Amino acid sequence: MNSDLFYEYYGRQKNDMEASVMPFTIFQRIENETHIVIISEGMVRLFNAGRNEIAYILENNIYTTVHPEDVDKIATAWNKFVNETEVFHIVFRKLINNRFLSILARGETFMTDTGEKLFILWCSDVTDIVNAEKMNTYYDKLTNLPNMSAFGVLAEYERKRMHKKGIVPAFVYFDIRDMKAINEKFGFSRGNGILSGLASVLRDVFGKDLIARFSDDHFVVMTGRRHLEQKIEQVNDQVLTNPTGIPVQLCAGIFIDDKMGLDVYASIDRARIACKTIKGDYTRKYHVFDRDMFTEYRQRRHVLNHFDEALEKGYIKLYYMPIVRTLTGRICDMEALARWIDPEKGMLPPSQFIPVLEDNRLINKLDLYMLRKICESLSKQKSLDMPLVPVSVNISRSNFEVCDVFDEVLSIVNEYNIAHHLLTVEITESAFIKNQQFLTNQIEKFREAGFNVWMDDFGSEYSSLNTLQEYTFDLIKLDMRFMKNFSLTGKNRLILSDVISMISKLGVSTLAEGVQTKEQLRFLRDAGCDKAQGFLFGKPMPCEYFYEKKALKGLEYEDINKTPYYDKLSTASLNLEDIPLDLGKYFGDNNVTPVALLEFQGSDKFRILKANNAYKVFLEGIGQNKENIYNDYYNWYRQPSQLFVDAIKKCLSSRKSESIYGVLEKNTRVSANVQFIAYDAKTETGAVLVIITRLDNSPPLLGD
């Protein structure tokens, strides 16, 4: 074996594991050979042998001093464990201290934080249990029910007996909803009373069936299939009316063992999965493990078993999805997305592997892998002399718990010599529900180093306005649910307008996800949303497609040198309430005062960037083309009167507000206020906010 591949624990963690009185060993499989990582003190005591002797047996001949009748059984189970399955469960007899003891061996695999696959083998002396003698060490002291180890042995025998009698066994996994909250509110003493009470109820309802307390508030029952749902209803009813007066609700997962093709613990795990699917649904008391769950279970195992291989062989690809500035219709950013193209399964959707990696604390490996891919992509774009725009990368919540995210990101970006402003850090809103001070410090580190920091998924299940108050962001991404069932007259339009306005008042930009129609884009632009993303501009595509502009669908890149100028335009609100108070005397009702953002580009023509509905009505009234007004006007220029032009030029030069009175626009005299917004000297491009204060030959917007 190549010793460079050996995994090792170090320091206190290694010492504590080796000193543990729990009998276990951890080993690694490299090139079909076993390498011992840890042997606990409990294992030494159980087998009455030194560590070197135990290591030699496990690495060379696991059948040493095993009862001859059990050798074949162990061989079959062991080969499956190290080569095929994820679990190992067997009871065998082994000669220890001149007598054969019954040993329960349970094994499973797990992934280390650095990606190595390790095997853990737990051993217990169950001689007395096999002989039907009750031992306190195998029973839960609080409820006097069998614990997990005892259940595994007893259930195997009971299941065989039931199948012989033609009884279909069912495993039921019970979980108390909100047990943590109960303990926090009422104390652990009353919480223990609920656990003891549930054990009594289970005995009462399920009689002589096998019942166990696995851990915390998790109980397992192995019973017959008949009348199972009615019994679960009975348990729920009795627990809900418990004498403690505390409202208690259960959820249960069921696995029907009709084929006996799995070991006990795999069966229990399926019942647990079924229970987990309804834990947040208080309308359902139980759920049966079905084919869809089995498919999901196998998918999860596939992800965990092949994740390291996918990283190593490049099966996980970097995709880009363009982000467009609503004022210009040009690409101003890219979002980096991970797409797993599996040689066996094909394209795995992110919803299939991202949650699995998050649940198993492996998502940090994916995020840092994607960051490297982004840096490689930006380096190639520079070498090809391509336009560059910032790329956003998602940093998952668990990253902040397993590593120093800032140092990791900074190290990789500097390694590739990528300018910091070309990388945007996206933090999902769920990351902000705890560790406030720590996250605040991390965000400030990123921003001080020149990275932009965005908050992702605002408006999702964790939404809180306090998040906007407690943290500083450069941009808020509005969850795509805001655009779902969008209509110009619907409630979501009003809510979205207010959300955009509120965030803009904080000096923070906004980006709307899920934009699919030009109608949605026009609304977002005029409502003050700075950026947009969605299938209207293109689906996620491999980053290579953007090198050759295959995926742009006619879109152009924004000049990154003008980004500061456009960022200033994002502060220009069409809402009168956001305009300085010293101009308030000019203004009337928000709904009837025409307001627009205009851009001057070194000539006497002006481009309209965004306008409210009242301004569009005004333009229609002075003879402008209706199709231009109400459609996309990215390239729509109009020629106002010379007095209007002179006032705007003066405003851009002085950086001060200017007023014009009685300017003739096609038989209509117009009075307006012009307010400076931004100017880019290199391109001689400037922007002003125009507020129409009076129109002659029509009812005045303000009193005469």
Side-chain angles (χ1 to χ4, degrees):
M1 284 187 287
N2 183 357
S3 60
D4 293 336
L5 300 176
F6 290 173
Y7 183 85
E8 291 187 271
Y9 290 97
Y10 296 95
R12 183 175 179 179
Q13 184 181 19
K14 179 180 179 180
N15 293 337
D16 289 346
M17 294 174 77
E18 288 187 337
S20 174
V21 296
M22 298 292 293
F24 71 90
T25 181
I26 297 174
F27 62 90
Q28 192 176 8
R29 293 284 290 178
I30 301 174
E31 297 174 358
N32 295 322
E33 294 185 19
T34 299
H35 163 64
I36 299 299
V37 179
I38 291 288
I39 296 176
S40 72
E41 179 63 20
M43 199 76 163
V44 171
R45 295 178 186 178
L46 175 63
F47 289 104
N48 192 29
R51 282 191 170 84
N52 290 339
E53 182 180 352
I54 296 173
Y56 180 85
I57 291 172
L58 291 172
E59 291 178 347
N60 297 279
N61 185 6
I62 62 171
Y63 314 110
T64 302
T65 67
V66 169
H67 195 289
E69 294 178 2
D70 295 337
V71 170
D72 290 342
K73 178 171 66 172
I74 291 179
T76 301
W78 183 260
N79 288 332
K80 284 186 177 180
F81 178 45
V82 298
N83 296 311
E84 300 175 13
T85 62
E86 298 297 320
V87 293
F88 179 75
H89 182 275
I90 194 170
V91 176
F92 64 95
R93 290 162 291 177
K94 182 176 177 64
L95 188 65
I96 300 175
N97 294 333
N98 297 317
R99 62 186 286 244
F100 279 106
L101 301 181
S102 293
I103 302 298
L104 166 64
R106 292 184 293 106
E108 60 186 38
T109 63
F110 66 98
M111 306 296 292
T112 68
D113 289 341
T114 52
E116 289 83 359
K117 179 180 180 180
L118 299 183
F119 296 74
I120 184 166
L121 190 68
W122 301 84
C123 293
S124 304
D125 180 359
V126 294
T127 305
D128 293 318
I129 290 181
V130 173
N131 294 334
E133 295 178 10
K134 181 176 178 181
M135 292 181 61
N136 289 333
T137 54
Y138 294 100
Y139 281 76
D140 176 57
K141 293 181 180 179
L142 177 64
T143 63
N144 204 32
L145 291 173
N147 60 20
M148 182 168 61
S149 296
F151 185 89
V153 177
L154 299 173
E156 197 63 59
Y157 287 99
E158 178 64 13
R159 183 170 64 162
K160 291 178 180 177
R161 185 191 67 80
M162 293 174 71
H163 274 289
K164 285 180 180 179
K165 289 189 173 184
I167 301 172
V168 177
F171 291 85
V172 187
Y173 187 96
F174 286 96
D175 189 359
I176 299 176
R177 301 184 193 267
D178 303 320
M179 189 65 200
K180 182 179 179 182
I182 291 173
N183 283 330
E184 290 177 352
K185 184 175 182 179
F186 300 102
F188 283 93
S189 178
R190 295 182 72 183
N192 285 341
I194 289 173
L195 295 173
S196 298
L198 174 56
S200 298
V201 170
L202 292 174
R203 287 192 188 96
D204 179 57
V205 173
F206 287 98
K208 295 182 179 180
D209 289 328
L210 187 57
I211 307 167
R213 181 189 178 196
F214 262 43
S215 64
D216 302 324
D217 57 329
H218 306 140
F219 292 76
V220 175
V221 176
M222 190 176 77
T223 183
R225 174 69 182 90
R226 294 186 62 191
H227 309 302
L228 180 56
E229 288 80 0
Q230 295 92 318
K231 290 181 179 180
I232 294 175
E233 293 281 359
Q234 271 184 270
V235 172
N236 270 280
D237 292 343
Q238 291 188 35
V239 169
L240 187 61
T241 57
N242 70 85
T244 67
I246 301 173
V248 177
Q249 296 188 54
L250 304 176
C251 55
I254 302 168
F255 176 70
I256 308 301
D257 184 24
D258 52 356
K259 295 182 179 179
M260 199 177 170
L262 299 171
D263 66 31
V264 167
Y265 289 102
S267 300
I268 295 168
D269 195 46
R270 281 156 172 74
R272 180 190 62 80
I273 293 170
C275 181
K276 186 178 179 181
T277 61
I278 61 167
K279 188 161 186 180
D281 185 353
Y282 285 74
T283 65
R284 303 180 66 184
K285 297 177 182 178
Y286 57 85
H287 192 48
V288 180
F289 186 88
D290 56 24
R291 183 175 295 276
D292 290 340
M293 287 185 202
F294 181 67
T295 300
E296 181 183 350
Y297 177 81
R298 294 184 65 180
Q299 289 172 345
R300 291 177 68 89
R301 299 314 310 173
H302 182 85
V303 168
L304 293 175
N305 290 341
H306 296 277
F307 176 55
D308 286 338
E309 180 188 15
L311 295 182
E312 181 183 343
K313 296 184 177 179
Y315 296 153
I316 298 180
K317 306 291 186 182
L318 171 64
Y319 274 48
Y320 280 154
M321 190 168 189
I323 297 171
V324 167
R325 192 180 297 276
T326 59
L327 290 181
T328 64
R330 290 176 176 262
I331 297 173
C332 56
D333 298 90
M334 290 285 188
E335 181 180 12
L337 300 169
R339 293 294 183 266
W340 185 337
I341 304 175
D342 190 271
E344 178 185 341
K345 304 286 186 179
M347 175 76 81
L348 301 183
S351 59
Q352 188 170 311
F353 64 89
I354 297 292
V356 178
L357 299 178
E358 289 178 336
D359 290 346
N360 290 273
R361 300 174 73 83
L362 294 171
I363 194 68
N364 64 304
K365 293 180 65 175
L366 175 64
D367 289 346
L368 296 179
Y369 169 88
M370 291 299 295
L371 178 59
R372 285 192 173 277
K373 291 298 181 184
I374 292 168
C375 291
E376 291 172 5
S377 174
L378 288 171
S379 295
K380 183 169 184 178
Q381 288 176 252
K382 286 196 296 184
S383 69
L384 295 173
D385 198 26
M386 283 184 57
L388 293 174
V389 294
V391 179
S392 66
V393 59
N394 193 279
I395 301 296
S396 304
R397 171 182 171 182
S398 62
N399 279 282
F400 294 97
E401 300 170 353
V402 301
C403 66
D404 189 321
V405 179
F406 174 76
D407 285 349
E408 293 280 1
V409 171
L410 190 66
S411 174
I412 294 173
V413 172
N414 289 346
E415 177 186 337
Y416 286 87
N417 195 29
I418 301 298
H420 293 185
H421 71 274
L422 289 175
L423 188 79
T424 298
V425 175
E426 286 192 45
I427 305 177
T428 304
E429 189 179 357
S430 61
F432 300 97
I433 61 176
K434 60 181 180 180
N435 299 330
Q436 177 185 340
Q437 189 56 51
F438 173 74
L439 282 169
T440 298
N441 294 339
Q442 290 286 299
I443 291 170
E444 287 310 307
K445 278 186 176 182
F446 277 115
R447 299 186 76 240
E448 288 171 3
F451 299 99
N452 284 321
V453 179
W454 294 358
M455 183 174 77
D456 194 11
D457 292 340
F458 180 80
S460 62
E461 56 186 312
Y462 295 101
S463 281
S464 171
L465 297 180
N466 288 333
T467 308
L468 301 180
Q469 176 180 305
E470 294 164 354
Y471 302 94
T472 302
F473 309 100
D474 299 289
L475 179 142
I476 304 294
K477 289 186 75 173
L478 306 176
D479 189 82
M480 63 178 61
R481 296 178 214 188
F482 280 110
M483 302 309 299
K484 190 175 182 180
N485 301 321
F486 174 87
S487 69
L488 289 176
T489 58
K491 291 182 180 179
N492 55 351
R493 179 187 65 88
L494 300 175
I495 294 171
L496 188 53
S497 294
D498 286 344
V499 168
I500 292 170
S501 175
M502 175 190 65
I503 295 174
S504 298
K505 288 177 182 178
L506 297 175
V508 180
S509 298
T510 51
L511 184 158
E513 298 179 294
V515 178
Q516 300 189 49
T517 67
K518 290 184 177 180
E519 179 188 56
Q520 293 174 342
L521 177 61
R522 287 193 292 270
F523 163 77
L524 291 168
R525 177 189 57 210
D526 293 338
C529 186
D530 305 291
K531 300 178 181 181
Q533 179 181 17
F535 288 170
L536 177 62
F537 315 109
K539 296 181 180 180
M541 302 291 282
C543 63
E544 295 83 4
Y545 281 41
F546 291 90
Y547 302 159
E548 303 172 10
K549 296 188 177 183
K550 290 181 180 179
L552 296 185
K553 296 178 64 175
L555 294 174
E556 297 292 334
Y557 285 97
E558 178 176 285
D559 181 355
I560 198 168
N561 295 316
K562 293 189 70 173
T563 296
Y565 164 75
Y566 286 122
D567 286 343
K568 289 180 182 178
L569 300 192
S570 67
T571 64
S573 171
L574 303 184
N575 190 329
L576 295 182
E577 296 175 357
D578 300 333
I579 297 174
L581 294 176
D582 62 335
L583 300 175
K585 60 185 179 181
Y586 293 108
F587 306 141
D589 189 291
N590 218 19
N591 295 321
V592 299
T593 302
V595 184
L597 182 66
L598 273 62
E599 185 176 66
F600 172 76
Q601 296 187 336
S603 66
D604 290 343
K605 288 185 178 181
F606 294 82
R607 187 160 70 98
I608 298 177
L609 298 179
K610 59 182 176 180
N612 67 2
N613 286 331
Y615 197 92
K616 294 175 184 177
V617 172
F618 154 68
L619 291 175
E620 190 177 354
I622 61 173
Q624 293 296 312
N625 185 291
K626 188 173 182 179
E627 183 177 347
N628 285 336
I629 295 172
Y630 293 99
N631 284 291
D632 298 311
Y633 41 76
Y634 290 128
N635 297 310
W636 175 35
Y637 293 84
R638 88 175 197 90
Q639 178 66 56
S641 69
Q642 189 59 46
L643 288 175
F644 203 92
V645 172
D646 292 342
I648 292 178
K649 287 182 177 180
K650 186 176 180 181
C651 174
L652 291 173
S653 175
S654 67
R655 308 297 201 264
K656 296 180 180 179
S657 298
E658 299 289 336
S659 295
I660 52 177
Y661 303 96
V663 175
L664 190 63
E665 290 274 6
K666 195 175 182 180
N667 301 321
T668 299
R669 294 209 171 267
V670 181
S671 298
N673 183 272
V674 181
Q675 190 172 41
F676 175 80
I677 298 299
Y679 187 75
D680 181 50
K682 291 182 180 179
T683 59
E684 295 184 345
T685 303
V688 297
L689 196 68
V690 176
I691 305 101
I692 305 297
T693 58
R694 183 183 178 94
L695 296 173
D696 286 349
N697 302 323
S698 64
L701 300 176
L702 300 167
D704 288 327

